[in-house]
Every structure is written in C-alpha cells, then in structure tokens.
Amino acid sequence: MADDEADFGGTVENVDNEDEGSEDPDLQGELNAFRVQWMSELKPSSDARGRLLQSKGQKKTQEMALEEKATELFLRAVHEEQIGAVYEAIKYYRMALQLVPDIESKINYNRPTDADKMMGGSDADGDIEDLLSYFEQQLTLESSYPKFCTPEVDMTQSHISVLPREILMYIFRWVVSSELDMRALEQLSLVCRGFYICARDTEIWRCACLKVWGKSCSKLSKPYTSWREMFLQKPRVRYDGIYISRTSYIRQGEESLDGFYRPWQHVEYYRYLRFFPDGHVIMMTTPEDPLAIVPHLKTKNTRLDAILLGHYRLSQETDNQTKVFAVLAKKKDEKKNEFTRSRFSRRNPLPDAEHSFHVGLQLASGGRQCSNKLMWVHHSCHIKYRVTGETVVTSFDLDQMYTPFFFARVKSYTAFSNQPL
C-alpha cells in the first residue's frame, strides 16, 4: 500500500514536471478544475457539522429553559399549597408537569406535613377531619374576624359572604331538604374552604342520622367517630332513587286447536320499591319498564292503581345483619268509599276482608356501592275478615321468582326541596 502511494505521488509529480516543461494549457486547466472541485466538496461537510453542533446547542438551551420554567411553576405550586390555595396549586402542578414530566425528581423541596395530608389519596375519615381542621386554621390565620368565603372579583351586589353563619347553615339545611339529599351537600362543599367547613357541620349530620334511625341513635355509638361517618358507613336504605327487581321466565302456552304445536311464552315483569325518610314505603308490581313507571313514583301520592302503600322499619339483627320490614296494603279509594256510603250501598257492599302484605328484606352491598341491594327473606299475605275478626296468614315460598332489588339513583327525586332538614 505504501508503494502504491509512492508511485501515485511520483506519477503526479512527473506529470507536473512534464506540464511545467511542456507548458500544456489544457492539462493544467483540468488539474486546477479538479483542485477547485475537491475543495468545494470539503467545505459543505464542515458546514453541515457546524449546523449539527449549532442545532444541538439550541436544543439543549431550549431544554434548559423549559426545565427552568417548569421548576419555577413547580415551586410556585408548592407555595400555593402551603398557604392553603389547593386549587391554584393543582393548576401550577399541572402546568409544570406538562413542560417537564419528571420535574419533581430534578428539584429538591420540602413539603410540610399538613400539605402531605391534603394531597394524600386516602379516603379515611381521619384524613377528612385533619383537612377540616386545616381549613379552619387557615381561615383563622388569614383574618381576626374570619369569613367563610370572599368574592373572587369586585361586585356591586351583596355577596353571600355577608350572611351570618346561622343564615348560611339554614340554606344548607334547605339543600339537604327533608329528602336527605346528602349528595347535594357534598357537591356544595366543593365550592370553597368555607362551604367545606359548613358542609361538615355536626348538627346537620346528627339530624340526618336521627331522621334515618330515629331515637335509637340519639347518641353516637362505636365504632363510628363522627355522625357523618355513621351516616355514610352504617347500612341503611337510600331515598334518592328506587329499588328495582326484574323477573323473567319462560312458560308453556296452550296447545293449538289442531294439536300440532304448543307455543312457549317469555314473561317479564318488574317490582318497584321506594322508601321515604318519613317512614313510608310504596311498592308496585307491573310489566311496564322503568322508563314508564319511575316518573310516577316521585311522591307517595301517586294515582297508579296497582300501588301498595305502607310503613317500614330498620332492624339490626343479632347476626349483625340489617333488615327492612314493611307492611303494605292497597291504597284506599276515597271516591269509592263515598259512593258506597250513598243510597246505592246495597249494590256496592264493602269488602268483607282486608288484605295486607308483610315483606322482609335484607340489606346487602353489590359492586362498589354500599347498601344498594335488597334480598328477600320473608313475604306473606294477611287476610283479616271483618265479620269474625279472624286473620289468616299465607306465607309464600321464596323461589327463583323473588329476584333481589337493586338500587338506581333518580335525579328528579331530589331536584326540588319542599322543606328544610
């Protein structure tokens, strides 16, 4: 290889000597053109390398700028969190993570203990109580005469913050209403820190527990540490919707006249059960689907003929199971009673017996929701004869026709408030 390079160099040198000796203009021109082309080919490669280095430098500079901006936003979010502005903190956290997803691992900061509890993902009631204490402390530190909320922008009209706490709590009782719409109360607590404190008022949750369980829970019992925890965790029936049981089966129809075939029929019907906080309950069995029936069960004064109206009670059994016992009867027709008291009463005599139905159900949980399932434990019919006063009881066998009830929330049932809690 070295010999080849030497020969090539010698050849070029000889050519140059010959060119110098013979002074051939064409050969000299070609050699100069080759040299110019060779130099021009070398220049773009150095320019490309320079552009590559320049782009890398610009990219690094942009990354440093993004990281610096993300660090600034993240530290500002930490500061907002420390002063209690959780909503603003979440906004700045989100902006910082959009710029640099791993910005938290690239900076060092100290988060206070209270903020750790606030941003934690635990749903325990102890964490909620700590958050409540934290909000109360922040409102006290901000002003010697703390307000539950302050207007975000300047207003010409009176803001709700000028109301005394007693008036504000009365508004919250209207939000809960006599239908115990605690879901609306929880949504109202998301407005601001002050509303969060008002929505955790002990008296509201105590009144709600008394309305559900009566005087039997006049005192807070173990293992519950607060009235709110008792209301949310202790098994109970729900009032913001309806319990629905769907039953379907196949039966054999009558044989055709020619005797060649016998049809099979698919039968489907529903049982509807709705509870009210005042102790009333309504029940209905019909083949109509929920879309047609649910709107008519908004109140217990419905005009449907097949409605059974009665009362219910909750019972805590010795086996630590919560059961619901109800006594229902067909709604009396007042117009018909007035008609029978007229001179045509002989043609329309009063019925000689009264029918009532006794229902026993066990509360259970299905899926993620709590106490959203009712399972049959008893069903009987009581017939009381007016003439003799005798009562005949007929118990029904709880077979596969008695499918469980499942709860379905209905928004229209709690859309309006008739009276406060």
Side-chain angles (χ1 to χ4, degrees):
M1 190 70 183
D3 295 340
D4 294 338
E5 292 177 354
D7 293 340
F8 181 76
T11 304
V12 175
E13 185 179 358
N14 294 336
V15 172
D16 293 340
N17 293 335
E18 290 177 359
D19 291 340
E20 292 176 359
S22 60
E23 297 181 358
D24 189 351
D26 296 335
L27 187 58
Q28 186 67 28
E30 291 179 3
L31 184 57
N32 292 335
F34 172 75
R35 290 174 176 172
V36 171
Q37 183 180 359
W38 179 58
M39 294 298 295
S40 63
E41 290 177 356
L42 291 177
K43 288 182 180 180
S45 60
S46 60
D47 295 342
R49 188 180 297 107
R51 286 195 300 269
L52 181 62
L53 294 175
Q54 185 178 1
S55 63
K56 287 183 178 180
Q58 292 178 353
K59 185 177 181 180
K60 188 174 182 180
T61 304
Q62 293 177 357
E63 291 178 354
M64 293 177 61
L66 288 176
E67 185 174 342
E68 183 179 355
K69 182 64 176 177
T71 302
E72 179 183 354
L73 292 172
F74 194 89
L75 294 177
R76 184 172 181 180
V78 173
H79 173 71
E80 295 291 340
E81 183 181 347
Q82 292 175 357
I83 64 176
V86 182
Y87 179 79
E88 296 294 331
I90 294 176
K91 181 178 69 174
Y92 289 121
Y93 277 133
R94 187 176 300 170
M95 294 170 61
L97 293 177
Q98 287 178 350
L99 294 177
V100 181
D102 57 341
I103 186 60
E104 187 174 2
S105 61
K106 295 183 178 180
I107 60 177
N108 296 322
Y109 66 97
N110 295 322
R111 177 179 291 178
T113 306
D114 292 337
D116 278 333
K117 295 178 180 179
M118 287 176 55
M119 300 301 291
S122 176
D123 293 333
D125 190 66
D127 293 342
I128 294 178
E129 294 298 332
D130 292 340
L131 184 59
L132 178 62
S133 302
Y134 179 80
F135 282 163
E136 291 177 343
Q137 181 182 5
Q138 291 298 319
L139 289 175
T140 304
L141 293 176
E142 289 178 2
S143 174
S144 57
Y145 182 73
K147 291 185 177 181
F148 284 97
C149 55
T150 55
E152 185 176 0
V153 296
D154 295 335
M155 301 180 63
T156 57
Q157 300 177 351
S158 298
H159 191 256
I160 194 173
S161 60
V162 302
L163 295 177
R165 180 170 182 176
E166 292 78 11
I167 303 298
L168 194 61
M169 295 307 304
Y170 188 67
I171 296 175
F172 275 62
R173 289 177 180 271
W174 268 101
V175 172
V176 177
S177 76
S178 57
E179 301 297 329
L180 293 183
D181 188 10
M182 311 308 291
R183 182 185 179 91
L185 182 66
E186 293 293 297
Q187 292 177 338
L188 186 61
S189 68
L190 302 177
V191 174
C192 62
R193 291 177 295 175
F195 280 19
Y196 184 94
I197 296 174
C198 292
R200 295 301 189 273
D201 184 71
T202 304
E203 186 63 20
I204 289 181
W205 293 95
R206 190 185 71 85
C207 292
C209 292
L210 288 176
K211 199 170 183 64
V212 174
W213 292 284
K215 296 181 180 179
S216 60
C217 70
S218 57
K219 295 183 179 180
L220 188 63
S221 59
K222 296 181 180 180
Y224 309 110
T225 59
S226 64
W227 291 103
R228 181 176 181 272
E229 181 183 358
M230 181 178 179
F231 185 88
L232 295 178
Q233 297 185 7
K234 189 174 181 179
R236 58 178 174 81
V237 293
R238 297 183 58 178
Y239 311 112
D240 56 343
I242 190 169
Y243 290 87
I244 303 176
S245 172
R246 175 177 171 270
T247 304
S248 62
Y249 63 93
I250 297 176
R251 71 179 182 184
Q252 194 172 15
E254 296 183 359
E255 187 176 359
S256 62
L257 296 178
D258 53 10
F260 282 105
Y261 72 94
R262 175 173 290 180
W264 292 87
Q265 300 172 347
H266 179 262
V267 181
E268 182 178 80
Y269 63 92
Y270 298 86
R271 291 188 180 98
Y272 300 94
L273 193 63
R274 190 189 173 190
F275 300 93
F276 295 89
D278 59 357
H280 284 87
V281 58
I282 56 177
M283 185 176 181
M284 183 178 182
T285 303
T286 175
E288 298 290 338
D289 61 353
L291 292 178
I293 296 299
V294 168
H296 296 284
L297 303 181
K298 190 173 182 179
T299 64
K300 52 181 174 288
N301 298 322
T302 179
R303 297 183 178 179
L304 298 177
D305 296 333
I307 283 292
L308 298 177
L309 178 63
H311 294 80
Y312 74 94
R313 65 178 178 87
L314 294 176
S315 175
Q316 187 75 28
E317 301 295 330
T318 56
D319 55 356
N320 202 23
Q321 298 291 337
T322 302
K323 296 180 181 179
V324 184
F325 295 98
V327 179
L328 304 108
K330 191 172 182 179
K331 191 176 181 180
K332 296 180 180 180
D333 193 348
E334 298 178 356
K335 293 183 179 180
K336 185 176 181 180
N337 292 339
E338 293 177 358
F339 179 74
T340 56
R341 287 195 295 267
S342 66
R343 61 179 180 174
F344 301 101
S345 59
R346 295 181 180 178
R347 300 180 184 178
N348 299 276
L350 290 172
D352 59 350
E354 294 180 353
H355 294 72
S356 62
F357 297 91
H358 292 232
V359 175
L361 302 164
Q362 178 179 330
L363 273 168
S365 299
R368 298 181 179 178
Q369 296 184 359
C370 181
S371 302
N372 67 329
K373 185 178 180 182
L374 292 174
M375 303 177 63
W376 289 88
V377 295
H378 175 74
H379 188 205
S380 61
C381 178
H382 292 230
I383 305 175
K384 182 179 180 180
Y385 295 95
R386 295 178 180 274
V387 178
T388 62
E390 182 184 2
T391 302
V392 178
V393 180
T394 303
S395 298
F396 301 102
D397 295 330
L398 301 180
D399 53 11
Q400 59 182 359
M401 296 298 180
Y402 289 85
T403 55
F405 289 88
F406 289 94
F407 179 79
R409 190 173 73 91
V410 183
K411 295 181 180 180
S412 61
Y413 286 177
T414 54
F416 300 97
S417 298
N418 296 322
Q419 57 184 355
L421 176 63

